[in-house]
Amino acid sequence: MQRKLTAVVVLAFWLAISSLATAADPLPSWTEGRAKQSVVDFVQRVTAPGGKDFVPEPERIAVFDNDGTLWAEQPFYFQLVFALDRVKTLAAKHPEWKEKEPFKSALAGDLKGVLAGGEHGLLELVMATHAGMTTEEFEQVVKDWLVTAKHPRFNRPYTECVYQPMLELLEYLRANGFKTWIVSGGGIEFMRPWTERVYGIPPEQVVGSSIKTKFELRDGKPVLMRLPEVNFIDDKAGKPVGINQHIGRRPIAAFGNSDGDFQMLEWTTAGSGPRFGMIVHHDDAEREWAYDRKSSIGKLDRGLDEAAKRGWLVVSMKRDWKFIFPFEGN
Amino acid sequence: MQRKLTAVVVLAFWLAISSLATAADPLPSWTEGRAKQSVVDFVQRVTAPGGKDFVPEPERIAVFDNDGTLWAEQPFYFQLVFALDRVKTLAAKHPEWKEKEPFKSALAGDLKGVLAGGEHGLLELVMATHAGMTTEEFEQVVKDWLVTAKHPRFNRPYTECVYQPMLELLEYLRANGFKTWIVSGGGIEFMRPWTERVYGIPPEQVVGSSIKTKFELRDGKPVLMRLPEVNFIDDKAGKPVGINQHIGRRPIAAFGNSDGDFQMLEWTTAGSGPRFGMIVHHDDAEREWAYDRKSSIGKLDRGLDEAAKRGWLVVSMKRDWKFIFPFEGN
């Protein structure tokens, strides 16, 4: 009995020490101020046993947009760069692309020309580069690309162009019993090969846009073939639909950066009990980029207008974050 | 230091005791024999640290069919009973149903008449009873039904007509670091309201068939409306597609009971490394039902033919299970 008591006391002491160590500064890359305090307050409220805002662990669901919220999205969505690189790689097998838009512009590195084709052109580009192979083949293509491709401004792999304060936030939430999810307009299979390594988010907690797949036998081996047909677009009003489809319960916290995240924030914060909505505002032209209402990528207009009224926190990258990227200061 | 050591020793002792207690009989409702031994052997192989078949925890994904694998499916799929009950409840608002099939037969309790309408008739029945309301309203309808509806043979709530040996298996796998998933042809939103309570499987680990939903504002409040349009059929070749969509990695163990699970078993066991495929064979007419090759519900034909060749375990409910339902012996 004495031994058991000793064990319990020592264990309790260890736990107290380690939780104090975490509590000391769970978000070291965030400057002291209202933004950081709001995040910490929310987490403390929903985890305080017996508190009026306590939320049981299984319901601590937090959803994160990816492009512009967890990693950068300028000068172009990284997945678009991937598609253009794929066009170049595949061009030898497609001589007809030399004369056919949007491939002609893509091969010439003329992004303006690509975008001139509008949504239809982009869709054609995606289907030509993302379909026509098995899921396992596509996963390998994405992994190979990530090893060699470098961001044009930072000259680093795209998976290093992630936001250090958000990495800390993900970890902080998980340490407090949250399940963290990505809910992105990006391709679900473009994200899954690296989200576990980079964000600690396993493939089954990634929600994204997708094309259809078909089960078939190839040389007697079962495969899933990727078809050139849209299955689901996980953007804007599609985000709550994707959340319901994959998670099946309403998150209590949502993190975004553009009007593409508006409905996800709206859906999340309309639930009863404690709710948290946060928008990352890109206002740091020096360390990252400054863009919002007029941007064609990551446009944030309605979100800025309505955040205060809806009780959503707007985080200034310039003021609220000490560091933007993990490689800063290295 | 002495205290810390004491703590560690005592803790290790406790852990050893509790793991021995579990190891003593993790599956008490399974009879001793090849079936039980195969399950235990597999779990021990993939969890033995340093063993050649060791599988890291995040990859320990186990998928379970629901109808006929975790709960019964006779004399009719429980969700069909739900739909018929809903028709009766909603009939007052639909006077036209009195003259219109499949509703006319449904109202007359004539299941044969309902089934005469084939797949099209069933689809009409599902849409009329599962769509046209919000996701939250539907969840409540399912919960309310489960409280009152009783299985015609056992005179118990449908959620008690679950297989005790499978409940033990789910728990045993989770205690060994597995994530357990449902992958069912049944409606995803028909299962989610009760799978956590009954199976310990949270809503985000349920994959199933679905209709489309649409985000909209109702009196300024965001809702997801259920539309009368098929989104996804999670059956046969659809199961590997659903698994990929929701889980994003290949399971290492799959459990089914009918040819609707064939491709799920095929997909799961075709992966490299240790794999486990299991088919529950309904061969106990006394305690449950006996049906396989000729059954219109839960037909098992090809699975029986190919199980041995493919290395899948066929479990005999009659011989391998001491108890079928949790209420037996009560």
Side-chain angles (χ1 to χ4, degrees), chain B residues 46-321:
Chain B
V46 301
T47 56
K52 74 169 178 37
D53 284 341
F54 179 78
V55 175
E57 275 203 30
E59 289 164 35
R60 291 182 206 157
I61 303 281
V63 287
F64 291 80
D65 169 57
N66 185 40
D67 298 305
T69 299
L70 294 180
W71 75 356
E73 60 185 351
Q74 299 285 1
F76 312 108
Y77 291 122
F78 298 174
Q79 192 172 357
L80 179 57
V81 181
F82 165 77
L84 295 179
D85 283 353
R86 286 299 295 160
V87 167
K88 288 171 198 156
T89 305
L90 297 171
K93 285 186 201 158
H94 294 275
E96 76 279 11
W97 284 356
K98 277 188 203 134
E99 301 304 327
K100 197 185 165 200
E101 289 295 0
F103 304 99
K104 190 179 165 184
S105 294
L107 289 170
D110 171 14
L111 205 80
K112 221 170 143 183
V114 169
L115 296 175
E119 208 167 293
H120 177 74
L122 281 177
L123 212 57
E124 251 195 293
L125 210 62
V126 167
M127 293 313 175
T129 53
H130 288 60
M133 67 198 102
T134 70
T135 49
E136 288 182 350
E137 286 162 353
F138 184 71
E139 184 182 339
Q140 196 54 51
V141 165
V142 172
K143 283 182 173 167
D144 291 345
W145 179 76
L146 286 173
V147 171
T148 53
K150 296 244 168 108
H151 190 280
R153 174 169 165 189
F154 302 111
N155 197 32
R156 302 208 167 233
Y158 286 96
T159 45
E160 289 183 22
C161 302
V162 295
Y163 304 133
Q164 176 64 25
M166 296 305 284
L167 297 182
E168 292 166 10
L169 179 55
L170 286 167
E171 191 49 44
Y172 175 54
L173 289 172
R174 287 193 294 260
N176 281 281
F178 279 77
K179 222 177 199 176
T180 52
W181 290 72
I182 288 172
V183 178
S184 166
I188 189 167
E189 302 299 5
F190 177 72
M191 296 182 280
R192 280 172 161 167
W194 53 271
T195 57
E196 190 154 33
R197 173 173 60 83
V198 175
Y199 301 137
I201 296 180
E204 62 266 33
Q205 283 160 229
V206 178
V207 182
S209 298
S210 58
I211 56 177
K212 287 195 191 294
T213 63
K214 185 173 182 290
F215 177 87
E216 57 185 54
L217 296 178
R218 222 164 61 166
D219 304 325
K221 232 188 118 219
V223 296
L224 289 170
M225 282 301 294
R226 291 171 59 81
L227 308 181
E229 192 184 338
V230 170
N231 179 58
F232 181 64
I233 301 293
D234 189 50
D235 196 28
K236 301 190 176 73
K239 289 205 173 190
V241 171
I243 287 171
N244 185 62
Q245 184 70 19
H246 285 255
I247 311 182
R249 49 183 149 202
R250 201 189 293 237
I252 65 165
F255 303 84
N257 77 298
S258 79
D259 284 352
D261 305 314
F262 194 94
Q263 289 86 351
M264 174 171 86
L265 285 156
E266 188 177 22
W267 173 247
T268 299
T269 56
S272 58
R275 301 280 153 174
F276 195 78
M278 186 185 111
I279 293 172
V280 174
H281 188 199
H282 294 263
D283 59 357
D284 192 332
E286 200 173 317
R287 295 185 298 173
E288 208 240 6
W289 285 270
Y291 59 98
D292 46 38
R293 296 183 191 273
K294 308 276 185 208
S295 179
S296 63
I297 291 171
K299 178 180 170 178
L300 176 66
D301 189 31
R302 190 179 169 201
L304 279 182
D305 288 339
E306 301 194 18
K309 180 179 88 182
R310 292 175 180 270
W312 301 341
L313 173 70
V314 177
V315 166
S316 158
M317 291 177 82
K318 191 169 181 168
R319 285 192 323 271
D320 295 324
W321 288 358

Side-chain angles (χ1 to χ4, degrees), chain A:
Chain A
M1 191 60 196
Q2 183 55 44
R3 284 200 149 187
K4 275 195 185 170
L5 262 180
T6 311
V8 169
V9 169
V10 173
L11 203 68
F13 185 71
W14 283 350
L15 290 173
I17 290 286
S18 69
S19 74
L20 273 176
T22 311
D25 197 353
L27 303 169
S29 296
W30 293 64
T31 56
E32 300 307 319
R34 194 179 76 91
K36 180 173 178 170
Q37 200 53 51
S38 303
V39 173
V40 173
D41 282 350
F42 173 74
V43 171
Q44 288 178 344
R45 276 198 296 132
V46 301
T47 55
K52 74 169 176 43
D53 284 341
F54 180 78
V55 175
E57 274 203 30
E59 289 164 35
R60 291 182 206 157
I61 303 281
V63 286
F64 291 81
D65 169 58
N66 185 41
D67 298 305
T69 299
L70 294 179
W71 74 355
E73 59 186 352
Q74 300 283 2
F76 312 108
Y77 290 122
F78 297 175
Q79 193 172 357
L80 179 58
V81 180
F82 165 77
L84 296 178
D85 283 354
R86 287 298 295 161
V87 168
K88 287 170 199 157
T89 306
L90 297 170
K93 285 186 203 158
H94 294 274
E96 75 280 11
W97 284 357
K98 278 190 201 129
E99 302 305 326
K100 195 186 165 199
E101 290 295 2
F103 305 99
K104 189 178 167 186
S105 293
L107 289 169
D110 171 16
L111 205 80
K112 223 169 140 180
V114 170
L115 296 176
E119 208 167 290
H120 177 74
L122 281 176
L123 212 57
E124 251 195 292
L125 210 62
V126 167
M127 293 312 175
T129 53
H130 287 61
M133 67 197 102
T134 70
T135 49
E136 287 182 351
E137 286 163 354
F138 184 70
E139 182 181 340
Q140 197 53 53
V141 165
V142 172
K143 283 181 173 168
D144 291 346
W145 180 76
L146 287 173
V147 170
T148 52
K150 296 246 168 107
H151 189 281
R153 174 169 165 189
F154 302 111
N155 198 34
R156 301 207 168 236
Y158 286 96
T159 45
E160 290 184 22
C161 301
V162 295
Y163 303 133
Q164 177 63 26
M166 296 304 285
L167 297 182
E168 293 167 8
L169 179 55
L170 285 167
E171 191 49 45
Y172 174 55
L173 289 172
R174 287 193 293 260
N176 280 281
F178 280 78
K179 222 175 198 179
T180 52
W181 291 73
I182 288 173
V183 178
S184 167
I188 190 168
E189 301 300 4
F190 178 72
M191 297 182 281
R192 281 172 161 166
W194 52 272
T195 56
E196 188 153 35
R197 174 173 58 83
V198 175
Y199 302 137
I201 295 179
E204 63 266 32
Q205 283 160 230
V206 178
V207 182
S209 298
S210 57
I211 57 177
K212 288 195 190 296
T213 64
K214 185 171 182 293
F215 177 87
E216 57 185 54
L217 296 178
R218 222 165 60 168
D219 304 326
K221 233 188 120 224
V223 296
L224 290 170
M225 284 300 295
R226 292 171 57 80
L227 309 181
E229 191 184 338
V230 170
N231 179 57
F232 181 64
I233 301 295
D234 190 50
D235 197 28
K236 301 188 177 72
K239 289 204 173 191
V241 172
I243 287 171
N244 184 61
Q245 184 71 19
H246 285 256
I247 310 181
R249 50 183 149 201
R250 202 189 291 239
I252 64 165
F255 304 83
N257 78 296
S258 79
D259 284 350
D261 305 313
F262 194 94
Q263 288 86 350
M264 173 170 85
L265 286 155
E266 188 177 21
W267 172 247
T268 300
T269 57
S272 59
R275 302 281 153 172
F276 195 78
M278 186 184 111
I279 294 171
V280 173
H281 189 200
H282 294 263
D283 59 356
D284 192 332
E286 200 174 315
R287 296 186 299 174
E288 209 241 4
W289 284 271
Y291 59 97
D292 46 39
R293 296 183 191 274
K294 309 274 186 211
S295 180
S296 64
I297 291 171
K299 177 178 169 178
L300 176 65
D301 189 31
R302 189 179 168 200
L304 279 183
D305 288 338
E306 300 193 18
K309 181 179 85 182
R310 291 175 180 270
W312 300 342
L313 173 70
V314 177
V315 165
S316 158
M317 292 178 81
K318 191 170 181 167
R319 285 192 324 270
D320 295 323
W321 287 359
K322 276 187 219 167
F323 303 99
I324 307 275
F325 298 109
F327 53 76
E328 272 168 41
N330 286 357

